[in-house]
Amino acid sequence: MSVWIRRGNYNHEFHHKQSQYVVKEYSSSEAMEERYEHKTQARIQDVVRRKVVEKYVHEEPMIRGPKFLVRLRSHTVFGNTPIKLFCTVEGFPMPIVKWYKDDVILDISSGRYLVKAKGGIHSLEISRCSTNDTAQYTAVASNIHGQASSQAAVIVKRFRQEDEFCPYAWFPFTEVMLPQVHYTKIHITFLEQFGPVFATEGDSATLSATMAVNPNLANLQPEAQWYRDETHLFDSKWVKIETGRGFTTLTLPNLYKDDEGLYTLRMVTRGGTAQHSAFVSVADGPPPVPGAPGAPMDIKIHDANRDYVIVSWKPPNTTTEGPILGYFVDKCEVGTENWTQCNDHPIKICKYPVSGLFEGHSYYFRVRAVNSHGISKPSRMSDPIAALDPTEFERLHSKKLGGKLDVVSYHDEVEAEGKPPGAPSEIHVSEIDRTYVVLSWKSPPYSCNVPMWYYIEKCMADSGAWQRVNTKVPIRSPRYAVFDLAEGKQYKFRVLSANIHGTSVPSEPTGLVETLELKGVPSAPGQVIATTETDTSVLIQWAPPKEPNNLIGYYIDQCVKGSKNWVSANHKPHKSTKFVVSGLTKGETYVFRVQAINELGLSEESQESAPLTVKAALSTPSAPYDIALLNCDGHSMVLTWKKPLYSGGAKIKDYYVDKRRSGTKEWREVNVPPLAERLYKVEGLTEGAIYQFQVHAANVVGLGPGSKHSADFTCEAWTIPEPGPAYDLTVCEVRDHSVVVQWQKPIYTGSGPITGYHVEYAKKGTSDWITANETAVSQRFLKVTDLEEGSTYLFRVRAVNDAGVGLASMPSDSITAKAVAGSQEVSCVVDGKSGDIVLSFESCQINEGSQFIWKKDYKEITDFSKGTVIKTEGNHSKLIFKNPDKEDFGTFSVSVTNTEGISSSYAISSEELAKMLALSYDIRHPIIPLKSELAYKILERGRMRFWLQAEEISPNVTYKFFANNIELSGADPNKMRHDISTGIIEFIMDCFTEENQGTYTCQITDGGGKAQSSLVLIGNTFKAALAEADFQRREYIRVKEGPHFSEFLLLQVGEDCSVTLFCKVANLKKDSQFHWYREDKEIIPDVKPDLASGVCKLPIKLFSLKTAGVYKATISDDRGKDMSQIDISGKVFDEAINKLCQLAGASAGELVISCTATGVQLQCHMKYYTSEMNITWYHGDTKLSPSDKIVIGGTPAMATMEVVEPVEKDKGKYSIVITDPENTHKRTVDLSGEVYEKAYAEFLKLKAEAYAEKNRGKVVGGLPDVVTIMEKKTLSLTCTVCGDPKPQVSWLKSGAEIEPDDQYVVSMDQGKFASLTIKRVSMEDSGRYSMIVQNKYGGESVDVVVSVYHHGEKIPEAKPTVTPKTIIPPKLPIEMPQPKPQPAPSPAPSLAPTRAALGRGMKSPTPTRRK
């Protein structure tokens, strides 16, 4: 077949200038005629496809609704044969096809139907048809632009012999020829699940899950479906899905806030759906500028047409950023990367019509938000959208020419007489906004070979004035958006058709159309209620706003209680009034608030919710298990069971027991009221009957599920002589090779009392029970040892009496012999202060609600009457025996609830207890050691001070003084006091007389300790003390009537290393004078003494040996004079230096490498440095001493050590050690490798710069700043210059070099005296002169201002202006003279002094600091 197409010229004004025809040939036959209608439709589709390729060139498919290119075909088949239905669909976005059977969606998960899709080709396959498959099958294709469907009938016939010979035809038709496929229910168990994800824009995220499929059949694999907020996700640019057998993964390669939401994985099988969900949070990425808002999101394109689209989006949250001022919309043509801004000014609402598009071109769109700080990052770009007339292909029609020809053309391309078109009809409004409306209408019948277009006119309500809308651009499509309307106004619209022959009459106008009025943002949401969800999430619920105003969704903010740090819980508007906030900190308390959003922005915040502490929500407990029979007397049974594995987060309060006869289904409750213990005697049973039992557990939330029913228990009396089974086995203190097993005594004891117990164990999965203890134990606990690490065991117990070994208990839960990581043991000590015996345990795990349970011999300790105390802080607990006695021996254990079985024990034997009791007595009844016994001292005014000093006393110390067995009173005027820091206790007797002769005693009590000391004052000893007291009393009366020192001079060292002389004076007058002296030379301090307060201080700056000496202070007036003196040398000086060492060492920073012109210097910054401090420098392990090579010194702020002229052997580690009487402080730096190379390079650079600075050209002096001279005089500017090599001198005037001539004479004498002589100066010689002195090491420029005045004028006042010298840098690289080689075998030592001497003569940018 051949195709002939006559093409017209394509442009944006008249793209239908010539008619286009597509002619197809086909054979005329009767069969073709019957299918003519179908062929015509297919031919139209072919034209559509060809015209699209011809007219529109872009990278992405054109956006349009779904259409079937190949439709379904009906089939008739025989049973047990396969069938496959095909169809081909096109559209953009690519349509999704769903299959229906008799208008009911097809159950693909059953495995009976196999659906495939590749590109636009879809198929449905039935591998083995049956008569049940006879039906009408429908394929429905849909995308965002619409849907289309295709139907086909499938008829399945039973096979008959007369139709075709078949070797199996003798089988009845009801028999199957292949094995029957039975219905199979597939069970799915998630092995690994994805959790919540908290990411930032630009990151990537992967959600993966693994599962066990049972049965795992290759042809019945479950279908993995991923959803985000109930939106089905498929492979795309933004989402990558990978699914295999037993796993599925969803990857988000480049996260945007559009990706935030609740992600759900649904594994769809014939037996149902298994699903798992988790929240993915995507926070704003770093803004382009600080404070800029987050990016908008959820870009949608509406009403795409030939030259415009409408773009909408959702605003970002602004929890911490400023309010949003508006938005910019950007567009980019597909195939380019050129983004252009569509609006000149920010728009405030989240919807914008973009016009001026080129027909047939595809575009991307994105949006940016703006606030007062700046512009946000752009949103995720939209899907590509094509600017097309959506009704263009509806105007195609087919015309049969007869025979082999058929023509497909546009309605408006049929030849006809030239006349104007008819009027459009059915004009209506399809969308209304604040400033625009979208009009649609039905085109008039049209048959002309020239294009047709439309004009739109608008009219305000109550006005007859019609105004044409589109005066410049003709409208080709029967759909158009009218912009620039007034907000909240009423309009009428009408449409006119036109072609080159004229314009039609107007259409019937629309009714009154009112544009929307801006109502503002929504009102604030109502009350916010927070409830617990899990231990890391909270459920938030709130009331919707009373004024929603086109509500889009909500933003939720969270804040830790007590702070103001609000953060966003979601970054994409949430539509529901419920939201689960994830990623919270367990145990933290939060408050929440909500904001509503519409296209104008965010509402006010709601009121804050009540504070809520994050913890897991309570639920009902799980079912009890392992119901066991403990005894039966023929009329009753004693039952026990194990408590639920999961308590529901609350204590289990009650148990309910149900019974039923074996073989029946109805359960009956047997206990009212409910039980608190897991032991119950069921009475009223029928002897010989067989019963089953089940148990329910309940907590504060409610009743949990019932347990699995027990085994069949026969109600027959037990008569065996051996004991019944023990019960309630528990295992604790699990270690790598041992566990401790506990149990309860059997209810049925047999023919005699129980004498002991055997514990048996077996590896899980075996029946080889091993007895742990050959000799029966009497206690109801046993430590089982010699277990294999990592193996899993079961344990059971048998009781023993004289008749033999009894029934085995119900086995314990399986236990793996493996210690919990970080497990610790109980320790036992005697407290060194209190004498208490303390058992201490630190748990490696602690959770909310965890408690420490202490037991003695595995029975909980409840009797605290003897002074036993349990103290718990955090994960540390102590069992304290305040009053221990000889009965407190045994095994003490502790367990921590709500953990992975954390427990431990400690066995105290009677011998160990006796030793600890003896130690406790010694601690509680100590003798307080004394540093000095009771002594006396005569104080001023004749007062007597009795004192002693203990090694240590506490704040609770008590004491008494006695004289001749009579207790002395500390009331005024006497004084009694103590000093805890020094241990001194003293009694000051105000008046010591002859009556006070005798024996003095001091008794001390401190806790359990006691001490006593006595002093005998009789005879000559008493007389000497009494005479001294009388002398001091007389001296006080004589001297202390005038000014005096109440506290004598004292040297103080402050925390900032300041050194100060301190004293206090008293009894002063206004004319009292205070003076400071050092070595009898008066010191005038910067701050005068504060005689008003009586405190006098003299700061000693830069404390060192230079400031040592005898300091004296005097206070005097007309009543007398007093003096205090201190010698700052020897011990006093050493103590001050030691204190400075201590403070400086603690503040010393890390060693810093600093280069100078002479070498490499190491600096250690500290609060204070002086050379008298005990500071030592080391190179490796070698102590360094000052020399020509090593210069040690510093400044008051740092200690320094300089390696002069470093060489290779100077590499290595250097250390500074600061030593005080208590501590040593060391700082180290490694001066080797790259560090040394950099330092050495910096040293050479500074050395060269210093050499250049020394030898560059300089002006030594002689030039004034300003010269004033009368005209016609001779001016001589002379100065001295220096430099090595001798510098060159040049003179400039106003920046131009002076050429010597008869008037200007330039000279240089002896290489150092430069001069410029100007003969017969004139007014023109006034100005700024510069002299430049320069050699290869640089130089400088000096300016002189010359002012010339006329003869007879007043000499102008010279106002010198200080002009800094302009330094001329040296030529790089700086060349330094090389030292002459020495004949000595090792030139380095001979060169070093020369370099050192040279270096020390230079001036370094980093000055050296040395003593």
Side-chain angles (χ1 to χ4, degrees):
M1 296 194 300
S2 61
V3 178
W4 175 73
I5 301 177
R6 189 170 51 141
R7 296 181 176 86
N9 295 326
Y10 171 67
N11 58 53
H12 293 297
E13 293 184 358
F14 300 99
H15 66 280
H16 295 304
K17 188 173 182 180
Q18 296 182 9
S19 300
Q20 300 178 30
Y21 298 97
V22 176
V23 180
K24 283 193 172 183
E25 288 188 90
Y26 62 96
S27 61
S28 292
S29 66
E30 185 177 353
M32 292 294 184
E33 289 294 333
E34 291 175 354
R35 300 170 60 187
Y36 172 73
E37 183 179 355
H38 172 72
K39 288 289 184 179
T40 300
Q41 185 65 28
R43 207 162 289 108
I44 292 175
Q45 296 297 333
D46 184 63
V47 172
V48 169
R49 183 168 62 256
R50 293 174 181 276
K51 288 177 70 62
V52 166
V53 173
E54 177 188 340
K55 292 177 57 177
Y56 309 113
V57 181
H58 50 277
E59 292 185 358
E60 298 287 347
M62 292 183 300
I63 294 180
R64 57 188 180 277
K67 291 198 178 186
F68 282 88
L69 301 181
V70 177
R71 306 181 71 83
L72 296 178
R73 185 170 62 87
S74 298
H75 293 265
T76 300
V77 296
F78 288 105
N80 296 327
T81 59
I83 184 174
K84 202 167 189 179
L85 303 179
F86 285 94
C87 65
T88 303
V89 184
E90 75 166 5
F92 191 83
M94 180 61 70
I96 299 172
V97 174
K98 295 184 179 180
W99 293 88
Y100 291 81
K101 177 181 177 182
D102 289 336
D103 297 328
V104 177
I105 192 165
L106 207 59
D107 185 7
I108 301 174
S109 63
S110 64
R112 184 171 180 79
Y113 305 100
L114 180 61
V115 173
K116 293 184 178 179
K118 185 174 182 181
I121 302 174
H122 299 263
S123 65
L124 169 66
E125 181 178 0
I126 307 174
S127 58
R128 298 180 65 206
C129 292
S130 67
T131 55
N132 293 332
D133 295 318
T134 299
Q136 179 174 277
Y137 291 83
T138 305
V140 178
S142 59
N143 63 12
I144 60 175
H145 299 289
Q147 68 178 24
S149 63
S150 178
Q151 296 178 336
V154 174
I155 301 174
V156 182
K157 293 184 177 182
R158 292 174 178 166
F159 188 83
R160 295 181 297 174
Q161 287 183 342
E162 57 269 26
D163 291 333
E164 184 179 342
F165 172 76
C166 177
Y168 304 99
W170 56 271
F171 281 117
F173 69 87
T174 55
E175 296 292 330
V176 294
M177 299 175 62
L178 295 174
Q180 183 178 358
V181 179
H182 294 280
Y183 169 77
T184 302
K185 182 174 182 179
I186 298 177
H187 298 275
I188 296 179
T189 303
F190 285 108
L191 303 178
E192 294 182 5
Q193 301 172 335
F194 53 90
V197 175
F198 298 92
T200 304
E201 282 185 309
D203 295 344
S204 62
T206 300
L207 308 180
S208 60
T210 59
M211 61 220 69
V213 181
N214 186 27
N216 193 356
L217 304 177
N219 61 338
L220 288 178
Q221 287 296 304
E223 180 188 3
Q225 298 179 355
W226 288 90
Y227 294 83
R228 176 175 60 232
D229 296 332
E230 297 305 321
T231 300
H232 197 174
L233 300 178
F234 299 94
D235 245 6
S236 68
K237 177 180 179 180
W238 311 110
V239 177
K240 303 297 179 184
I241 298 176
E242 181 182 1
T243 301
R245 296 187 66 172
F247 79 94
T248 181
T249 299
L250 179 142
T251 301
L252 303 169
N254 187 15
L255 285 171
Y256 282 85
K257 289 184 292 185
D258 307 62
D259 298 314
E260 181 174 279
L262 183 67
Y263 283 74
T264 301
L265 169 63
R266 292 178 181 159
M267 300 303 297
V268 181
T269 68
R270 180 172 181 175
T273 300
Q275 71 177 39
H276 170 69
S277 300
F279 189 75
V280 174
S281 174
V282 184
D284 287 308
V289 294
M297 71 214 75
D298 201 12
I299 310 303
K300 300 293 184 184
I301 308 299
H302 311 272
D303 199 40
N305 217 303
R306 290 177 180 234
D307 61 350
Y308 75 91
V309 296
I310 297 175
V311 182
S312 69
W313 59 91
K314 292 178 181 177
N317 197 358
T318 54
T319 305
T320 56
E321 301 85 1
I324 291 178
L325 303 177
Y327 302 91
F328 286 118
V329 179
D330 303 332
K331 68 180 179 182
C332 174
E333 188 170 349
V334 171
T336 71
E337 297 182 356
N338 301 323
W339 287 94
T340 57
Q341 187 171 296
C342 301
N343 51 316
D344 297 330
H345 304 285
I347 53 173
K348 295 187 176 181
I349 63 172
C350 298
K351 183 182 288 187
Y352 182 70
V354 179
S355 58
L357 306 181
F358 291 106
E359 181 181 2
H361 290 220
S362 294
Y363 296 89
Y364 297 111
F365 296 91
R366 70 184 188 186
V367 183
R368 296 169 293 150
V370 186
N371 68 3
S372 59
H373 295 280
I375 303 177
S376 73
K377 296 194 298 186
S379 66
R380 173 185 281 177
M381 66 181 182
S382 68
D383 291 330
I385 190 78
L388 293 176
D389 180 359
T391 66
E392 178 176 357
F393 303 132
E394 296 176 1
R395 297 183 286 115
L396 289 174
H397 78 286
S398 173
K399 182 178 180 181
K400 185 175 181 182
L401 301 180
K404 301 179 181 180
L405 298 178
D406 187 37
V407 176
V408 179
S409 65
Y410 287 101
H411 284 295
D412 55 3
E413 292 177 340
V414 179
E415 295 292 340
E417 295 294 333
K419 61 180 180 179
S425 60
E426 299 181 15
I427 179 170
H428 62 280
V429 177
S430 57
E431 183 177 348
I432 304 176
D433 206 278
R434 297 184 307 111
T435 59
Y436 70 90
V437 298
V438 178
L439 300 177
S440 300
W441 59 89
K442 184 177 181 181
S443 301
Y446 188 67
S447 56
C448 188
N449 61 352
V450 294
M452 178 180 66
W453 58 89
Y454 303 95
Y455 293 112
I456 298 177
E457 296 180 345
K458 67 180 179 180
C459 175
M460 294 284 289
D462 302 328
S463 171
W466 288 92
Q467 179 184 358
R468 183 161 294 182
V469 174
N470 57 317
T471 58
K472 296 181 179 180
V473 180
I475 301 172
R476 304 294 181 187
S477 170
R479 179 180 175 90
Y480 189 73
V482 181
F483 301 114
D484 300 326
L485 302 180
E487 183 179 326
K489 300 296 182 181
Q490 291 183 331
Y491 293 89
K492 291 187 293 184
F493 301 92
R494 66 186 186 187
V495 182
L496 299 87
S497 303
N499 63 13
I500 60 175
H501 300 294
T503 305
S504 73
V505 296
S507 67
E508 289 294 326
T510 64
L512 288 177
V513 179
E514 184 174 357
T515 55
L516 300 180
E517 188 171 2
L518 186 63
K519 295 183 179 180
V521 298
S523 58
Q527 182 181 9
V528 180
I529 299 174
T531 54
T532 55
E533 179 82 3
T534 68
D535 56 0
T536 58
S537 63
V538 168
L539 173 63
I540 308 299
Q541 304 178 73
W542 59 91
K546 294 182 179 179
E547 299 178 5
N549 294 344
N550 298 323
L551 182 71
I552 293 178
Y554 302 92
Y555 281 123
I556 299 93
D557 298 334
Q558 66 191 49
C559 175
V560 175
K561 181 185 176 183
S563 74
K564 296 298 182 183
N565 185 22
W566 287 95
V567 296
S568 298
N570 65 317
H571 309 89
K572 176 181 175 182
H574 182 70
K575 295 181 180 179
S576 173
T577 56
K578 295 181 180 180
F579 184 76
V580 176
V581 181
S582 305
L584 303 178
T585 303
K586 182 179 179 181
E588 191 67 83
T589 301
Y590 292 86
V591 292
F592 303 89
R593 69 186 186 192
V594 182
Q595 284 181 282
I597 318 143
N598 66 3
E599 61 184 11
L600 293 179
L602 280 69
S603 71
E604 296 291 331
E605 293 94 350
S606 67
Q607 293 184 349
E608 296 177 7
S609 69
L612 179 70
T613 301
V614 179
K615 59 183 178 181
L618 302 180
S619 62
T620 58
S622 59
Y625 62 103
D626 286 356
I627 301 174
L629 178 62
L630 301 181
N631 190 17
C632 180
D633 58 7
H635 302 286
S636 64
M637 293 182 182
V638 179
L639 304 175
T640 187
W641 54 89
K642 294 180 181 178
K643 62 184 179 181
L645 295 176
Y646 175 63
S647 67
K651 181 180 179 182
I652 297 176
K653 299 174 60 179
D654 303 313
Y655 292 97
Y656 297 86
V657 180
D658 299 337
K659 70 175 182 179
R660 71 180 178 188
R661 288 284 187 97
S662 181
T664 64
K665 295 184 177 180
E666 184 178 356
W667 290 99
R668 298 195 178 193
E669 190 174 342
V670 298
N671 62 307
V672 179
L675 308 173
E677 302 295 332
R678 289 180 289 109
L679 190 70
Y680 183 62
K681 185 176 184 181
V682 183
E683 309 217 18
L685 303 179
T686 302
E687 187 171 4
I690 301 176
Y691 292 91
Q692 291 178 341
F693 300 91
Q694 75 172 9
V695 183
H696 295 259
N699 60 12
V700 293
V701 178
L703 187 68
S707 66
K708 180 182 178 181
H709 67 75
S710 69
D712 291 344
F713 294 150
T714 304
C715 189
E716 293 179 349
W718 287 10
T719 59
I720 57 175
E722 294 85 4
Y727 67 99
D728 201 12
L729 269 70
T730 57
V731 179
C732 62
E733 301 178 36
V734 179
R735 300 296 184 264
D736 291 342
H737 302 286
S738 65
V739 299
V740 173
V741 182
Q742 306 174 57
W743 60 88
Q744 296 297 324
K745 179 181 178 182
I747 301 298
Y748 178 78
T749 59
S751 61
I754 295 173
T755 58
Y757 301 91
H758 287 289
V759 176
E760 299 176 347
Y761 63 92
K763 286 188 176 181
K764 185 178 180 181
T766 69
S767 58
D768 300 329
W769 290 93
I770 303 171
T771 302
N773 55 318
E774 296 298 332
T775 303
V777 295
S778 58
Q779 75 271 12
R780 295 197 297 277
F781 61 90
L782 179 69
K783 185 173 185 177
V784 181
T785 58
D786 299 329
L787 302 179
E788 293 182 13
E789 181 180 356
S791 297
T792 302
Y793 294 90
L794 301 175
F795 300 88
R796 68 185 186 186
V797 178
R798 293 179 184 268
V800 180
N801 65 6
D802 292 339
V805 179
L807 300 175
S809 67
M810 177 78 72
S812 69
D813 294 336
S814 58
I815 300 296
T816 301
K818 182 68 176 177
V820 177
S823 296
Q824 300 189 34
E825 303 297 337
V826 174
S827 63
C828 182
V829 297
V830 178
D831 189 272
K833 293 184 178 180
S834 65
D836 299 337
I837 297 177
V838 180
L839 291 168
S840 179
F841 178 69
E842 184 175 359
S843 175
C844 62
Q845 293 181 3
I846 201 74
N847 296 305
E848 185 178 0
S850 294
Q851 293 182 338
F852 289 82
I853 307 298
W854 286 92
K855 299 178 181 179
K856 180 180 180 182
D857 295 333
Y858 295 95
K859 295 180 181 178
E860 187 173 353
I861 298 174
T862 57
D863 182 11
F864 300 98
S865 59
K866 292 173 54 178
T868 304
V869 176
I870 296 176
K871 288 186 177 180
T872 300
E873 293 182 2
N875 65 339
H876 197 273
S877 183
K878 294 180 180 179
L879 177 65
I880 304 172
F881 296 94
K882 294 287 187 182
N883 302 308
D885 58 31
K886 60 183 180 180
E887 301 298 327
D888 290 328
F889 65 88
T891 300
F892 293 88
S893 62
V894 59
S895 59
V896 186
T897 63
N898 199 19
T899 62
E900 298 178 5
I902 301 299
S903 56
S904 181
S905 64
Y906 189 90
I908 301 178
S909 63
S910 57
E911 294 80 6
E912 184 181 6
L913 180 62
K915 293 179 181 179
M916 289 192 294
L917 289 175
L919 178 58
S920 175
Y921 181 84
D922 292 341
I923 293 173
R924 292 183 174 186
H925 302 85
I927 296 176
I928 301 174
L930 299 178
K931 281 188 177 180
S932 60
E933 299 290 338
L934 187 64
Y936 77 91
K937 181 180 180 180
I938 308 299
L939 304 178
E940 62 179 10
R941 211 170 56 192
R943 295 179 298 169
M944 177 67 77
R945 175 180 179 247
F946 296 96
W947 66 280
L948 58 80
Q949 186 175 12
E951 291 282 352
E952 184 180 3
I953 57 176
S954 73
N956 299 322
V957 66
T958 60
Y959 45 87
K960 296 180 181 180
F961 284 89
F962 297 88
N964 299 325
N965 296 326
I966 300 174
E967 184 176 357
L968 300 176
S969 172
D972 285 340
N974 298 331
K975 292 183 180 179
M976 191 183 300
R977 60 193 178 192
H978 66 278
D979 188 344
I980 297 174
S981 62
T982 60
I984 293 176
I985 300 173
E986 64 181 13
F987 175 82
I988 299 177
M989 185 179 293
D990 187 68
C991 185
F992 188 71
T993 64
E994 292 183 356
E995 298 176 355
N996 299 121
Q997 183 174 207
T999 301
Y1000 291 82
T1001 303
C1002 178
Q1003 295 179 352
I1004 308 172
T1005 302
D1006 192 359
K1010 295 182 180 180
Q1012 178 174 307
S1013 182
S1014 297
L1015 172 67
V1016 178
L1017 287 179
I1018 58 176
N1020 293 333
T1021 304
F1022 173 75
K1023 291 179 181 178
L1026 182 62
E1028 177 66 17
D1030 289 340
F1031 172 77
Q1032 292 294 339
R1033 192 177 301 111
R1034 293 192 301 271
E1035 183 68 12
Y1036 178 81
I1037 294 172
R1038 181 183 66 82
V1039 175
K1040 297 303 179 181
E1041 288 182 352
H1044 62 276
F1045 285 89
S1046 58
E1047 291 186 20
F1048 293 102
L1049 283 178
L1050 179 68
L1051 189 66
Q1052 294 181 338
V1053 179
E1055 291 296 324
D1056 58 349
C1057 293
S1058 60
V1059 182
T1060 308
L1061 279 176
F1062 172 88
C1063 66
K1064 286 186 179 180
V1065 292
N1067 198 18
L1068 306 179
K1069 298 196 308 183
K1070 287 185 178 182
D1071 58 349
S1072 297
Q1073 294 184 357
F1074 186 92
H1075 298 278
W1076 290 102
Y1077 297 90
R1078 177 176 179 267
E1079 302 294 350
D1080 293 328
K1081 184 177 180 181
E1082 186 174 358
I1083 301 172
I1084 306 300
D1086 296 335
V1087 180
K1088 293 183 178 180
D1090 185 7
L1091 298 182
S1093 64
V1095 177
C1096 300
K1097 297 180 181 180
L1098 177 64
I1100 301 179
K1101 300 178 181 178
L1102 301 179
F1103 183 80
S1104 65
L1105 275 176
K1106 294 181 179 180
T1107 60
V1110 177
Y1111 287 80
K1112 181 170 64 175
T1114 62
I1115 182 71
S1116 61
D1117 57 25
D1118 56 356
R1119 296 170 296 168
K1121 179 180 180 181
D1122 199 1
M1123 180 192 71
S1124 178
Q1125 180 174 296
I1126 185 172
D1127 185 1
I1128 302 179
S1129 62
K1131 183 179 180 181
V1132 174
F1133 181 82
D1134 292 343
E1135 288 178 350
I1137 288 295
N1138 288 338
K1139 181 64 175 178
L1140 290 173
C1141 284
Q1142 181 181 3
L1143 297 173
S1147 67
E1150 295 299 326
L1151 287 176
V1152 178
I1153 300 174
S1154 178
C1155 298
T1156 69
T1158 57
V1160 177
Q1161 188 179 84
L1162 303 184
Q1163 302 175 350
C1164 181
H1165 293 266
M1166 57 189 70
K1167 286 186 176 180
Y1168 184 70
Y1169 169 78
T1170 180
S1171 60
E1172 289 79 12
M1173 293 168 62
N1174 191 0
I1175 294 179
T1176 309
W1177 289 87
Y1178 290 89
H1179 180 198
D1181 296 329
T1182 304
K1183 182 179 179 180
L1184 299 178
S1185 300
S1187 64
D1188 291 341
K1189 182 69 176 178
I1190 302 298
V1191 179
I1192 297 176
T1195 68
M1198 66 178 175
T1200 62
M1201 187 278 296
E1202 184 175 342
V1203 181
V1204 178
E1205 291 290 336
V1207 293
E1208 190 71 19
K1209 67 178 182 179
D1210 294 321
K1211 295 182 179 179
K1213 289 188 177 181
Y1214 287 82
S1215 303
I1216 182 174
V1217 178
I1218 308 169
T1219 306
D1220 62 57
E1222 297 180 0
N1223 298 300
T1224 297
H1225 309 274
K1226 185 176 181 179
R1227 303 291 184 267
T1228 303
V1229 70
D1230 189 358
L1231 185 61
S1232 61
E1234 184 179 354
V1235 176
Y1236 175 83
E1237 298 301 331
K1238 289 183 178 180
Y1240 188 76
E1242 178 67 13
F1243 152 67
L1244 293 179
K1245 175 174 173 286
L1246 295 177
K1247 178 179 177 181
E1249 291 175 353
Y1251 184 86
E1253 174 64 23
K1254 177 183 178 183
N1255 293 282
R1256 69 176 175 85
K1258 299 177 184 177
V1259 177
V1260 178
L1263 283 181
D1265 293 328
V1266 178
V1267 174
T1268 303
I1269 188 170
M1270 189 172 64
E1271 62 180 350
K1272 298 183 180 181
K1273 297 286 186 179
T1274 297
L1275 173 63
S1276 178
L1277 300 176
T1278 304
C1279 65
T1280 305
V1281 298
C1282 66
D1284 186 13
K1286 293 181 180 180
Q1288 296 178 351
V1289 177
S1290 58
W1291 294 86
L1292 291 82
K1293 178 186 178 184
S1294 300
E1297 186 172 355
I1298 297 175
E1299 295 293 339
D1301 55 16
D1302 293 340
Q1303 184 181 8
Y1304 294 93
V1305 179
V1306 176
S1307 64
M1308 185 74 172
D1309 187 15
Q1310 301 179 16
K1312 63 178 179 178
F1313 301 108
S1315 64
L1316 171 66
T1317 303
I1318 305 174
K1319 300 177 181 179
R1320 298 183 61 81
V1321 296
S1322 64
M1323 299 301 293
E1324 289 77 10
D1325 294 323
S1326 296
R1328 182 177 297 275
Y1329 289 79
S1330 301
M1331 185 182 74
I1332 299 176
V1333 182
Q1334 185 176 8
N1335 60 12
K1336 67 178 181 178
Y1337 295 114
E1340 62 187 27
S1341 172
V1342 180
D1343 292 343
V1344 178
V1345 177
V1346 175
S1347 178
V1348 181
Y1349 62 95
H1350 292 290
H1351 178 70
E1353 289 182 352
K1354 183 179 179 182
I1355 299 176
E1357 183 180 354
K1359 295 182 179 180
T1361 58
V1362 179
T1363 303
K1365 295 181 180 179
T1366 301
I1367 305 300
I1368 301 173
K1371 297 179 180 178
L1372 297 179
I1374 300 174
E1375 298 179 0
M1376 294 181 58
Q1378 297 297 325
K1380 296 180 180 179
Q1382 298 293 329
S1386 179
S1390 62
L1391 288 175
T1394 305
R1395 291 181 179 178
L1398 178 61
R1400 285 194 296 272
M1402 302 176 186
K1403 183 179 180 182
S1404 169
T1406 305
T1408 59
R1409 301 174 176 96
R1410 314 174 187 153
K1411 290 302 295 178

